[in-house]
Coordinates of all heavy atoms in Angstrom, one line a residue:
A1 N 0.8 -1.2 0.0 CA 0.0 0.0 0.0 C 0.9 1.3 0.0 O 0.6 2.2 -0.7 CB -0.9 0.0 1.2
V2 N 1.9 1.3 0.8 CA 2.8 2.4 0.8 C 3.5 2.6 -0.6 O 3.5 3.8 -1.1 CB 3.9 2.2 1.9 CG1 5.0 3.3 1.8 CG2 3.3 2.2 3.3
A3 N 4.0 1.5 -1.2 CA 4.6 1.7 -2.5 C 3.6 2.1 -3.5 O 3.9 3.0 -4.4 CB 5.2 0.3 -2.9
T4 N 2.3 1.7 -3.5 CA 1.3 2.1 -4.4 C 0.9 3.5 -4.2 O 0.8 4.3 -5.2 CB 0.1 1.2 -4.3 OG1 0.5 -0.2 -4.5 CG2 -1.0 1.6 -5.3
W5 N 0.8 3.9 -3.0 CA 0.4 5.3 -2.6 C 1.4 6.3 -3.0 O 1.1 7.4 -3.5 CB 0.1 5.4 -1.1 CG -0.5 6.6 -0.6 CD1 0.1 7.7 -0.1 CD2 -1.9 6.9 -0.6 NE1 -0.8 8.7 0.2 CE2 -2.1 8.2 -0.1 CE3 -3.1 6.2 -1.0 CZ2 -3.3 8.8 0.1 CZ3 -4.3 6.8 -0.8 CH2 -4.4 8.1 -0.3
N6 N 2.7 5.9 -3.0 CA 3.8 6.9 -3.2 C 4.4 6.8 -4.6 O 5.2 7.6 -5.0 CB 4.9 6.7 -2.2 CG 4.5 7.0 -0.8 OD1 3.7 7.8 -0.6 ND2 5.2 6.3 0.1
E7 N 3.9 5.8 -5.4 CA 4.5 5.6 -6.8 C 4.3 6.8 -7.6 O 3.2 7.4 -7.7 CB 3.9 4.4 -7.4 CG 4.7 3.8 -8.5 CD 4.7 4.6 -9.8 OE1 3.6 5.1 -10.2 OE2 5.7 4.7 -10.5
F8 N 5.3 7.3 -8.3 CA 5.3 8.5 -9.1 C 5.6 8.3 -10.5 O 4.9 8.9 -11.4 CB 6.3 9.5 -8.5 CG 6.5 10.8 -9.2 CD1 5.5 11.8 -9.2 CD2 7.6 11.0 -10.0 CE1 5.6 12.9 -9.9 CE2 7.7 12.2 -10.7 CZ 6.7 13.1 -10.7
L9 N 6.6 7.6 -10.9 CA 7.1 7.5 -12.3 C 6.0 7.0 -13.3 O 5.7 7.6 -14.3 CB 8.4 6.7 -12.4 CG 9.1 6.8 -13.7 CD1 9.4 8.2 -14.1 CD2 10.3 5.9 -13.7
F10 N 5.5 5.8 -13.0 CA 4.5 5.3 -13.9 C 3.2 6.2 -14.0 O 2.7 6.4 -15.0 CB 4.0 3.9 -13.4 CG 4.9 2.8 -13.9 CD1 5.4 1.8 -13.0 CD2 5.3 2.7 -15.2 CE1 6.2 0.8 -13.5 CE2 6.1 1.7 -15.7 CZ 6.6 0.7 -14.8
A11 N 2.8 6.7 -12.8 CA 1.7 7.6 -12.8 C 1.9 8.9 -13.7 O 1.1 9.4 -14.4 CB 1.3 8.0 -11.4
L12 N 3.2 9.4 -13.6 CA 3.5 10.6 -14.4 C 3.5 10.3 -15.9 O 3.1 11.1 -16.7 CB 4.9 11.1 -13.9 CG 5.4 12.3 -14.7 CD1 4.6 13.5 -14.4 CD2 6.9 12.6 -14.2
I13 N 4.1 9.1 -16.2 CA 4.2 8.8 -17.7 C 2.9 8.4 -18.3 O 2.5 8.7 -19.4 CB 5.3 7.7 -17.9 CG1 6.6 8.2 -17.3 CG2 5.4 7.3 -19.3 CD1 7.2 9.4 -18.0
L14 N 2.1 7.6 -17.5 CA 0.9 7.0 -18.1 C -0.4 7.8 -18.0 O -1.4 7.5 -18.6 CB 0.7 5.6 -17.5 CG 1.8 4.6 -17.7 CD1 1.5 3.2 -17.0 CD2 2.0 4.3 -19.2
L15 N -0.4 8.7 -17.0 CA -1.6 9.6 -16.8 C -1.3 11.0 -17.4 O -0.3 11.5 -17.1 CB -1.9 9.6 -15.3 CG -2.2 8.3 -14.6 CD1 -2.4 8.5 -13.1 CD2 -3.3 7.5 -15.3
S16 N -2.3 11.5 -18.1 CA -2.2 12.8 -18.7 C -3.2 13.8 -18.2 O -2.9 15.0 -18.0 CB -2.2 12.7 -20.2 OG -3.4 12.1 -20.6
S17 N -4.5 13.4 -18.0 CA -5.5 14.3 -17.6 C -5.6 14.5 -16.1 O -5.2 13.7 -15.4 CB -6.9 13.8 -18.1 OG -7.2 12.5 -17.5
D18 N -6.0 15.7 -15.8 CA -6.1 16.1 -14.3 C -7.1 15.2 -13.6 O -6.9 14.9 -12.4 CB -6.5 17.5 -14.2 CG -5.4 18.5 -14.6 OD1 -4.2 18.0 -14.7 OD2 -5.7 19.6 -15.0
A19 N -8.1 14.7 -14.3 CA -9.1 13.9 -13.6 C -8.6 12.5 -13.2 O -9.3 11.9 -12.4 CB -10.3 13.7 -14.6
N20 N -7.5 12.1 -13.8 CA -7.0 10.7 -13.5 C -5.7 10.7 -12.7 O -5.1 9.7 -12.4 CB -6.8 10.0 -14.8 CG -8.1 9.6 -15.5 OD1 -9.1 9.3 -14.8 ND2 -8.1 9.7 -16.8
K21 N -5.2 11.9 -12.3 CA -3.9 12.0 -11.7 C -4.0 11.4 -10.2 O -5.0 11.6 -9.6 CB -3.4 13.4 -11.7 CG -2.9 13.9 -13.0 CD -2.3 15.3 -13.0 CE -1.8 15.7 -14.3 NZ -1.3 17.1 -14.3
T22 N -2.9 10.9 -9.8 CA -2.8 10.4 -8.4 C -2.1 11.4 -7.5 O -1.6 12.4 -8.0 CB -2.0 9.0 -8.3 OG1 -0.7 9.2 -8.9 CG2 -2.7 8.0 -9.1
L23 N -2.0 11.1 -6.2 CA -1.5 12.1 -5.3 C -0.1 12.6 -5.6 O 0.2 13.8 -5.6 CB -1.5 11.5 -3.8 CG -2.8 11.8 -3.0 CD1 -2.7 11.0 -1.7 CD2 -2.9 13.3 -2.7
P24 N 0.9 11.7 -5.8 CA 2.3 12.2 -6.1 C 2.3 13.1 -7.3 O 3.1 14.0 -7.3 CB 3.1 10.9 -6.3 CG 2.3 9.8 -5.6 CD 0.9 10.2 -5.8
V25 N 1.5 12.8 -8.4 CA 1.5 13.6 -9.6 C 0.9 14.9 -9.3 O 1.2 16.0 -9.8 CB 0.8 12.9 -10.7 CG1 0.9 13.8 -12.0 CG2 1.5 11.6 -11.0
G26 N -0.2 14.9 -8.4 CA -0.8 16.2 -8.1 C 0.1 17.2 -7.3 O -0.1 18.4 -7.4
L27 N 1.1 16.7 -6.7 CA 2.0 17.6 -6.0 C 2.9 18.4 -6.9 O 3.5 19.4 -6.5 CB 3.0 16.7 -5.1 CG 2.3 16.0 -3.9 CD1 3.3 15.2 -3.1 CD2 1.7 17.1 -2.9
L28 N 2.9 18.0 -8.2 CA 3.6 18.8 -9.2 C 3.0 20.2 -9.4 O 3.6 21.1 -10.0 CB 3.8 18.0 -10.5 CG 4.7 16.8 -10.5 CD1 4.6 16.1 -11.9 CD2 6.1 17.2 -10.1
N29 N 1.7 20.3 -9.1 CA 1.0 21.6 -9.3 C 1.6 22.7 -8.4 O 1.3 23.9 -8.7 CB -0.5 21.4 -8.9 CG -1.2 20.5 -9.9 OD1 -0.8 20.2 -11.0 ND2 -2.3 19.9 -9.4
F30 N 2.4 22.4 -7.4 CA 3.0 23.4 -6.6 C 4.3 24.0 -7.2 O 4.9 24.9 -6.7 CB 3.3 22.9 -5.2 CG 2.1 22.5 -4.4 CD1 1.6 21.2 -4.5 CD2 1.4 23.4 -3.7 CE1 0.5 20.8 -3.8 CE2 0.3 23.0 -3.0 CZ -0.2 21.7 -3.0
Q31 N 4.8 23.4 -8.3 CA 6.0 23.9 -9.0 C 5.6 24.5 -10.3 O 5.0 23.9 -11.2 CB 6.9 22.7 -9.2 CG 7.5 22.1 -7.9 CD 8.5 21.0 -8.2 OE1 8.7 20.6 -9.3 NE2 9.2 20.6 -7.1
G32 N 6.0 25.8 -10.4 CA 5.7 26.5 -11.7 C 7.0 26.8 -12.4 O 8.1 26.3 -12.0
Q33 N 6.9 27.5 -13.6 CA 8.1 27.7 -14.4 C 9.0 28.7 -13.8 O 10.2 28.6 -13.9 CB 7.6 28.2 -15.8 CG 8.7 28.4 -16.8 CD 8.3 28.8 -18.1 OE1 7.0 29.0 -18.3 NE2 9.2 29.0 -19.1
F34 N 8.5 29.7 -13.0 CA 9.3 30.7 -12.5 C 9.3 30.8 -11.0 O 10.2 31.5 -10.4 CB 8.8 32.1 -13.0 CG 8.8 32.2 -14.5 CD1 7.6 32.1 -15.2 CD2 10.0 32.4 -15.2 CE1 7.6 32.2 -16.6 CE2 10.0 32.5 -16.6 CZ 8.8 32.4 -17.3
S35 N 8.5 30.1 -10.3 CA 8.5 30.1 -8.8 C 7.9 28.8 -8.3 O 7.2 28.1 -9.0 CB 7.6 31.3 -8.3 OG 6.3 31.2 -8.7
N36 N 8.2 28.5 -7.0 CA 7.7 27.3 -6.4 C 7.0 27.7 -5.1 O 7.5 28.6 -4.3 CB 8.9 26.4 -6.0 CG 9.6 25.9 -7.3 OD1 9.0 25.7 -8.3 ND2 10.9 25.6 -7.2
N37 N 5.9 27.1 -4.9 CA 5.1 27.3 -3.6 C 5.6 26.3 -2.6 O 5.0 25.3 -2.4 CB 3.6 27.2 -3.9 CG 2.8 27.6 -2.7 OD1 3.3 27.8 -1.6 ND2 1.5 27.6 -2.9

């Protein structure tokens, strides 16, 4: 469960729409091109 919950690479490569993203991929929303929250 921990490995599945934290998996990032496959989710990043295989998922493209916001409606299907998992938690680790959603954390990328905090990083922008010019600034980081």
Side-chain angles (χ1 to χ4, degrees):
V2 172
T4 302
W5 190 264
N6 295 332
E7 202 285 323
F8 173 74
L9 187 58
F10 273 132
L12 177 64
I13 299 299
L14 298 178
L15 302 177
S16 56
S17 62
D18 292 337
N20 292 321
K21 288 182 178 179
T22 57
L23 269 175
V25 181
L27 293 176
L28 292 178
N29 294 336
F30 294 94
Q31 296 183 348
Q33 183 177 1
F34 301 104
S35 62
N36 297 329
N37 187 354

